[in-house]
Every structure is written in structure tokens, then in C-alpha cells.
Amino acid sequence: MLPVDQAESIILNLVQPLDTQRDVEKVDLLSASGRILATPVTSKLDFPHWDNSAMDGYAVKFTDVKNCSPENPIPLAIIEEIPAGYQPQSHIQTGQTARIFTGAVMPLGADTVVMQEVTQRKDNNVLILESPKNQQEFVRYRGSFYTAGTPLLSPGIILGASEIAVLAALQCPKITVYRRPRVGILSTGNELVTPDQPLQPGQLVDSNQYALAVAVAQTGAEIIRLGIVPDEREILKKTIAGAITTTDFLLSTGGVSVGDYDYIEDILTELGAEIHIHSVAVKPGKPLTVAKFSDTQCVYFGLPGNPVSALVSFWRFVQPALKKLAGVQEAAWRPEFVTARSLQDLHSNGKRETYLWGQLNLGSNGYEFQLAGGSHNSGNLINLAGSTGLAVVPLNETLIAIGESVKVLKIS
């Protein structure tokens, strides 16, 4: 059995990000949510595009109003009103001002905005009752947020609402993103049935197909569901042989242990794969097969059949590799561990690195980990629901006592 860190290193070294030339496509902004930016973005526009007001008030010369107060108000003549979207027509001279609204273009000659709350207007004149704190107060200068031609967004970021807003504001209607990785998912076992089938004695519902489909979808990948494959060697071989020609990753559950019907590793070898991992010193999830096909570059993950083991193995090993493949920046595809205070005793037999599921919450004094109730068994899917973290009891440790610090893997 390989140590967890060594297995992680092998997996991540097997995976290279999608190619920046072959594996990209252009999409419009409304289709770019959740996609991975593939090329650097710059803009020909400054932001703001022009000097503008950050307040409703009056555009003034700072030298005119720097010494005013309620006891010594400064009167100014209003020569223009400037709403947003209007091009100023006047040049502000000493003793003059322009009524201006938030977002409106600053007139020539003015360098400061006095907010309307500290003024008193009468007809075409206004009294300035309070000095601005500094010159340029409440003025957003052209290019102060972003200068045209400089790097704006870097490849590998996940495009969310804020990034899309920036791209829209800077008039980038189409954006180059990585294509979605293609991930095949299959389950093996004669005992498996779909959720809509009547359950006979000895049969199990194939929950893994659904759990992994959702987990894969959350990374933004394209899912190719291959369904349930019976424990028949030739059918399984044919299914795998076809899938590896159309997928980047192929995930299977079951068939990777040491039972009489566990054919996966033999089939992989026959199909020309190099097997890099057979098992990992982790609980749950010890039986883990990882192989790569040199002809297709497809990476195969044979996950355990037990539902908790399958998901824990996905979160710990497959999800980071899938994010790396998708082109996500390294800081975002590495597994995210935090230190939390355990609210219960956490037990392990010490023989393998052990992951215990539960709720990770941010309290007033930092993260806290609440162990899920019930048995922590690889077949007990029920108490995995609602879990947001996996607490790690290291190899050769048998107890993390209540109140002690524990490393927790964030999951989603």
C-alpha cells in the first residue's frame, strides 16, 4: 500500500493540463460561468474610462473650498448640471462649480467633489459648508482601477460573477476558455440496480453512479455515464476499451479489490495501460487502481465499490487531478486543508491514514469540526449526508482528543 501523499503525487504527476492550443474554445460571456480561462486577458480600455464623480454633489476646485466651514461658508456659482452619461460643456473657473451626479464625467478645471450633504443651495448658487479632506476627494480618475494594455485576468481562473462583470465592463463579449474535460463513469457488479428498479433480495442500488456524476459536474467537467456493467469479463473489457478513446478520465467503482469477479486490473493490462497505483494506506478507500493509457492519454481511476469509500477517494485523489486537467491554477486545484478544533474524540486504529466525515464550521475562534453521528463505516452512506469536511487522523495515531487541533479536508 502506498502512503497517501505518495499516491497523491503520482496521480498529479500523471495529469497534465489541457493544451492551450488544441483544447480551447471561444464562448460568449453568458456561457462562460464556471469555465476556466485559457488565455491572458487585457483590454484596450482604461477603467474608469474617464474621470468621474463618486458622489452626488458639486464639482469644484479644491483651492476654492479648502478653508471653508459652517462659520465660514464659501459661495460658488453653479454654471452647469452634469448627469451620468452627459458630456460636460463648461470649464470650471475660480468661484464656479457644476452640479454633478454619481458616475458623471468630471468637467475640466474641477479636481474635487463636495458631497451635497455639506452644501446649501439657493437658485444658481451654492454654499460649501465643509472642506473636503483632500484634493481629489470623491473623484474616480481614469485608469485608476485598471490601465489599458496591462494584464487583467490570468489563465487558470474560474470565471464567476465578478470576473464576468469585469469582462463585460471592459467590452470583452467573447472569451477563450478550456474545453470541458470528458469524464466517463461506470459501475461494475451483478448486484447493482438503478434507483427506478424494484429491489430484490441481495441487490444494491447503484448510488455511486449518481454521487460521482454530481461530484464531477461540480468541477465543470462533461459527464459520460456508462451505466452498470455486469461482472462479465468481455463486456467489461469492451466497455472500457470504447470509453478510453472518448474520455480524459474514466472512473469505475467496484471490481478493484481481490474478489473472484474483480477483473479490472487484468483488463487494464490487456488494453495496454500502465498501472501506477494498486492500493493506498487510507481508510476508507484502500483499494484504488490508477492507470494511464499511453495511446489515448486517458487516466483510469478504479474506485472502491463501497459508497463512502468511492466518494472519499474521489474527493481526496480524483477531484484535484480533474481540476488540474481542466487548467485551474495550482493554488485552486490542490486539496484544501484547514486546521480545526475537534468537538469530539476522533478514533482510528492507526494502521492507515483515516478520514472521518462531519461538519466543518467557522466559529468565532476559528474552524470547528463536528463528527457526523452514527457509525463511520465505508458502507454507511446515510450519515455522510450534509458533511462538509473530512477530519484526518494520521498514520500511526489512534486518537485526536476533544478540543485538540485536527487537519480537515474541505469537501463540497
Side-chain angles (χ1 to χ4, degrees):
M1 290 187 294
L2 290 175
V4 171
D5 289 347
Q6 187 177 343
E8 176 191 59
S9 179
I10 290 171
I11 291 168
L12 293 176
N13 286 335
L14 285 175
V15 176
Q16 296 305 317
L18 295 172
D19 188 87
T20 56
Q21 300 298 317
R22 298 191 309 270
D23 297 317
V24 298
E25 58 188 4
K26 277 189 175 291
V27 298
D28 63 66
L29 284 183
L30 291 179
S31 301
S33 176
R35 302 299 294 272
I36 313 301
L37 184 65
T39 57
V41 172
T42 60
S43 176
K44 297 178 181 179
L45 296 174
D46 292 320
F47 199 88
H49 311 318
W50 47 77
D51 300 348
N52 71 90
S53 176
M55 280 283 180
D56 291 347
Y58 295 87
V60 302
K61 288 181 177 292
F62 180 73
T63 53
D64 280 350
V65 298
K66 63 180 181 180
N67 294 318
C68 67
S69 67
E71 295 75 29
N72 182 37
I74 301 294
L76 298 174
I78 303 169
I79 64 169
E80 188 174 16
E81 184 169 287
I82 310 172
Y86 172 80
Q87 181 63 39
Q89 303 297 307
S90 303
H91 189 124
I92 303 299
Q93 307 292 335
T94 299
Q96 296 179 337
T97 186
R99 177 74 166 115
I100 196 166
F101 296 89
T102 302
V105 177
M106 288 289 289
L108 294 175
D111 58 16
T112 303
V113 172
V114 176
M115 60 181 180
Q116 64 186 24
E117 288 83 355
V118 295
T119 66
Q120 192 174 86
R121 180 171 179 170
K122 186 175 182 180
D123 299 326
N124 290 327
N125 294 282
V126 64
L127 289 176
I128 309 300
L129 306 175
E130 185 177 304
S131 295
K133 294 182 176 62
N134 51 64
Q135 192 174 16
Q136 304 178 358
E137 187 170 51
F138 300 128
V139 178
R140 298 181 290 215
Y141 280 88
R142 175 175 178 170
S144 59
F145 300 162
Y146 170 77
T147 303
T150 58
L152 175 61
L153 299 177
S154 300
I157 64 171
I158 301 172
L159 297 173
S162 56
E163 291 79 19
I164 301 265
V166 168
L167 292 166
L170 293 177
Q171 294 189 310
C172 300
K174 287 189 175 292
I175 198 72
T176 301
V177 297
Y178 287 106
R179 68 166 175 83
R180 298 182 187 275
R182 294 182 289 269
V183 180
I185 303 173
L186 64 92
S187 301
T188 66
N190 294 332
E191 75 281 12
L192 299 178
V193 297
T194 58
D196 58 334
Q197 291 179 274
L199 196 61
Q200 302 300 322
Q203 292 183 327
L204 297 171
V205 174
D206 177 22
S207 61
N208 289 337
Q209 185 93 194
Y210 293 84
L212 292 176
V214 171
V216 168
Q218 287 173 338
T219 70
E222 177 187 347
I223 303 160
I224 301 171
R225 288 185 58 198
L226 301 169
I228 299 169
V229 181
D231 286 323
E232 296 183 28
R233 186 186 185 91
E234 291 309 310
I235 296 176
L236 188 55
K237 183 176 179 179
K238 183 178 180 181
T239 303
I240 293 173
I244 61 177
T245 63
T246 58
T247 60
D248 299 295
F249 280 8
L250 180 57
L251 313 183
S252 74
T253 54
V256 294
S257 189
V258 292
D260 291 343
Y261 297 99
D262 295 337
Y263 306 130
I264 294 289
E265 291 198 0
D266 287 344
I267 290 172
L268 297 178
T269 302
E270 290 173 12
L271 292 174
E274 180 180 355
I275 299 176
H276 295 268
I277 296 175
H278 298 272
S279 63
V280 183
V282 63
K283 183 179 180 181
K286 179 179 72 171
L288 175 67
T289 298
V290 180
K292 188 167 186 178
F293 297 86
S294 57
D295 291 343
T296 67
Q297 295 301 304
C298 176
V299 180
Y300 183 93
F301 292 88
L303 307 178
N306 278 324
V308 175
S309 298
L311 268 176
V312 170
S313 297
F314 179 88
W315 287 323
R316 184 63 183 88
F317 300 113
V318 182
Q319 183 173 267
L322 185 51
K323 289 181 178 181
K324 180 180 179 181
L325 171 71
V328 177
Q329 291 178 348
E330 181 172 353
W333 56 251
R334 289 280 182 187
E336 185 179 359
F337 289 95
V338 297
T339 300
R341 183 173 66 89
S342 179
L343 300 181
Q344 291 90 18
D345 289 341
L346 304 177
H347 296 277
S348 167
N349 62 16
K351 296 178 180 178
R352 289 179 274 163
E353 186 168 297
T354 299
Y355 290 74
L356 302 171
W357 47 98
Q359 286 279 339
L360 178 66
N361 297 304
L362 186 59
S364 57
N365 295 313
Y367 282 107
E368 297 176 335
F369 178 77
Q370 175 80 42
L371 187 68
S375 64
H376 279 248
N377 182 292
S378 60
N380 182 13
L381 185 61
I382 301 304
N383 69 344
L384 189 62
S387 292
T388 55
L390 297 173
V392 183
V393 182
L395 183 69
N396 298 322
E397 289 191 27
T398 58
L399 172 67
I400 295 177
I402 183 172
E404 290 185 353
S405 293
V406 60
K407 186 169 74 170
V408 181
L409 173 64
K410 285 186 173 182
I411 60 174
S412 57

